[in-house]
Structure formats: structure tokens, C-alpha cells
Amino acid sequence: MSVDIDLYRTDDYVPAGQLPLGPMLSAALSPVVGEDLADYSVLVSFLPVAEEQELSGSPTLVNLRAQCGYVLIQINRGDEVVYRHPHTVREIVGEPLQRVLAEHFPGESHWGFGLSGPGLEQFALVRPAPRIHNEVSLGSTPTRRPRLNVEEVPEEEPAISTLAELGVGGDPARSDAPVEIVVRADVFDTLAKNGLFSGEIEEGGFLVGNVYRDGENSGRHLIEVTAAAPAERTGASLLRFTFTGESFLRIGEQITRRHRGERLIGWYHTHLFPATENFGLSSIDVSLHHGTFRQPWQTAALVNLSDEGRTLRFYRAAGDEMLLTSYWVAGDDSR
């Protein structure tokens, strides 16, 4: 069985290539038999026993498949078993890998790794949310006034537009929904067709675009989705995707640098199973949206990934619920 060590750089866990497990095991186990393992066979069984994720030291190192925390090592010479004993992944992989990374990448202070190969997909890959740096406490006491006062800035009144002006052709049938969504064709292609998404952990990001008042219905907002920006500084697992405060700071910087007058109009994330009529956003997703995306026109996009393909759906807030809402692709005249 061929097993590799997948490497992830920094606490954003950016994929950074692979190393074969074999040479790492040979270096770690040669002292056990007192000589090179060229004349020996090594059998490795991965055990579903969790270990602590992070290995301290320099660089710090996190096992992103911490549910696979132990391995059973058996060393044979011919038909003779010369060694058989369980070891932690930290001891057999983590500590030798830490020394290799310190030698070859002395400027990098944090890494993640995960074992990958046949059968190891049963151990979920989990990407922890990054640490928050430069955090400041702004507490106050009854006898001292707070040093900082925060007030909400009123939103600018949206400009007026129509579906036709946003690229919806023909004579589009209108719904009774208070929000109509128009997605640029390139954004639709990214989310629904060819964007790169992990098949092991949920991924997500932010929807950027423009908000208009509908020139044909004063009580309706038109949402134009012009970009889908992958979120930075996030946490993720098979069943959950997490934004951090830094995620929002960075998307704000990106929107400013685009110089297009756009807004943060919502968010998107993936589910790693087929779409069904009865299951869309989870209760966690709904809570995240209501607690974070407070404008009534902000939307949530869900991309279901499966062997059969992808399904892209949009949702809007309605009271305490999130309702499925139809959308248009610019340049097309059908929903």
C-alpha cells in the first residue's frame, strides 16, 4: 500500500505537496533493529485511536487526521517477526517530519500534515480555525468610561436597476419574492461547474456584488453576484465550515482593492453529499447566516458535491427561516 504525507503550510493550511511515508518510517524505525531496513519488511496498520492534534516545538505541527493517531508496526525478516509494537503517529511521523521541515523551511513556523492512501479516507481531515493574532481587549468598568465607542453606520440607499439591465434577457417571469438574484455567468461556472473544491472537507467563501432597488417593483431588491471569493483564515471539517473575524477583515480588504463599489452580499459553502428536496442548509448554517449576515437582502449559496455532479442553490432569510429562492444567470432568460 502506498501511503503519503500531505503537507499544509501555515495555519491557513495551504496545500504544499507530499512526501512518501516509506523513507520517514525507515529513518524512524532503523534504530529499533540497529541497522538499515533494506533486508526487512515493515507492515503498518493504522488504528482509529485519536491523539492530540498539535505537536509543540519549532515548527509547530498539527496532525489534520488526528483520529488516526496510532499505528501498529510489525518488522519481519523473512518469516521471522523481529518487532511488533504500537506507536503514536506523533512519534513515527510527526517528530521526524518536524525535524525535516525545520531543516528545509527554517522560516516557516507552522505546518499541518495528514496521512493519505487507500483506507485512510475513513479518518476525516479536519482543518482547525487559525489562531487570532494581535487581539485587544476593550473592556470597561463601572468607574471608567470605555475608550472606544462603536456605532452602526447607516447603509447607503441602493441605486435602481432592472433584471434586463443586469443581463436577464427575454421577458422574465417574476416571482413574489422580496429578493431576485442574478448571477454572473463566470461566477455560476465557478460554483456550479468547474471551481476546485475539496472532496474531504467543506469549503466556502463570500459572495460579492451589487444591491439595487427593483425599478419595476419598489418593494423588491435585485442582487447581482459578481464574484465568489474563497474565504481566508477559516476552519473546516467534513461536516462544518467556520469563518473567523479575520475572514471578514480580509474580504473587506479584497472588496476595497477591487474599486468597483461592490458590497458583501452573502456567503457560500459546500456540502459533500447529493442535494435533496428535504435537506438544504443545516441548522448550523441557518444560525450562522442569521447571526452574521443581517441585511434582509443578503443571501446564502449552497453547493452540493457528489459523484453525480453539483447542485447550486440560493437561500434568503425569512423570519427565523432560510427559504430556497430561484435565481437567474446573466445572459440567460430562464431561471
Side-chain angles (χ1 to χ4, degrees):
M1 177 177 70
S2 175
V3 177
D4 293 311
I5 306 169
D6 294 332
L7 298 177
Y8 300 86
R9 189 191 299 268
T10 78
D11 61 356
D12 277 321
Y13 301 106
V14 179
Q18 290 181 323
L19 292 175
L21 178 63
M24 196 76 65
L25 282 182
S26 296
L29 295 173
S30 292
V32 172
V33 296
E35 59 179 318
D36 186 86
L37 295 179
D39 296 329
Y40 295 81
S41 60
V42 180
L43 305 179
V44 181
S45 300
F46 297 95
L47 306 177
V49 181
E51 70 165 350
E52 185 179 349
Q53 272 193 310
E54 184 164 320
L55 177 62
S56 60
S58 182
T60 50
L61 189 64
V62 170
N63 181 0
L64 301 184
R65 294 191 195 274
Q67 291 300 314
C68 175
Y70 284 76
V71 293
L72 178 63
I73 300 293
Q74 180 174 312
I75 303 176
N76 295 349
R77 187 166 194 171
D79 295 331
E80 179 188 4
V81 177
V82 298
Y83 181 83
R84 191 172 189 271
H85 198 274
H87 291 264
T88 64
V89 169
R90 170 189 300 258
E91 175 189 3
I92 293 297
V93 180
E95 293 174 358
L97 178 60
Q98 188 179 51
R99 292 191 289 268
V100 169
L101 294 173
E103 177 183 355
H104 292 280
F105 304 94
E108 198 67 75
S109 62
H110 186 82
W111 292 81
F113 75 95
L115 299 176
S116 64
L120 286 166
E121 56 279 349
Q122 65 178 300
F123 303 108
L125 187 73
V126 177
R127 188 182 68 211
R131 299 181 183 88
I132 298 176
H133 301 288
N134 303 318
E135 184 177 23
V136 177
S137 175
L138 297 173
S140 62
T141 66
T143 58
R144 185 176 66 188
R145 295 181 63 187
R147 297 180 181 178
L148 181 67
N149 184 44
V150 179
E151 295 182 358
E152 184 175 357
V153 178
E155 287 279 345
E156 294 183 8
E157 187 71 14
I160 295 176
S161 189
T162 66
L163 287 175
E165 290 172 343
L166 297 181
V168 179
D171 184 18
R174 308 303 296 266
S175 72
D176 294 329
V179 174
E180 291 270 13
I181 299 170
V182 180
V183 184
R184 291 274 182 88
D186 59 330
V187 180
F188 175 80
D189 288 346
T190 295
L191 294 177
K193 296 181 180 180
N194 52 31
L196 297 179
F197 293 121
S198 171
E200 291 193 81
I201 58 175
E202 289 189 1
E203 292 188 293
F206 297 102
L207 299 176
V208 175
N210 301 300
V211 183
Y212 301 98
R213 287 176 292 157
D214 189 345
E216 300 173 343
N217 184 333
S218 60
R220 192 194 316 272
H221 283 102
L222 302 180
I223 309 302
E224 181 187 28
V225 185
T226 59
E232 301 177 23
R233 310 294 288 170
T234 62
S237 68
L238 174 66
L239 299 173
R240 191 162 186 169
F241 177 80
T242 307
F243 294 112
T244 66
E246 287 187 83
S247 304
F248 288 89
L249 290 174
R250 296 201 178 185
I251 188 59
E253 293 169 353
Q254 289 184 44
I255 292 174
T256 300
R257 288 196 300 268
R258 286 169 65 89
H259 300 293
R260 299 179 184 178
E262 296 160 314
R263 301 190 190 189
L264 178 61
I265 58 171
W267 63 296
Y268 70 90
H269 76 299
T270 61
H271 280 179
L272 306 182
F273 47 83
T276 68
E277 291 185 12
N278 298 323
F279 188 75
L281 298 177
S282 69
S283 59
I284 295 174
D285 301 334
V286 173
S287 295
L288 186 156
H289 186 93
H290 283 296
T292 308
F293 298 89
R294 308 296 293 273
Q295 296 295 335
W297 41 260
Q298 286 182 313
T299 185
L302 175 63
V303 183
N304 284 85
L305 308 175
S306 69
D307 293 338
E308 289 73 39
R310 301 185 185 189
T311 301
L312 172 62
R313 293 180 284 183
F314 282 84
Y315 295 81
R316 62 176 177 84
D320 294 333
E321 299 180 302
M322 294 292 291
L323 299 183
L324 186 67
T325 187
S326 57
Y327 62 94
W328 308 87
V329 178
D332 195 352
D333 59 0
S334 61
R335 290 182 189 269

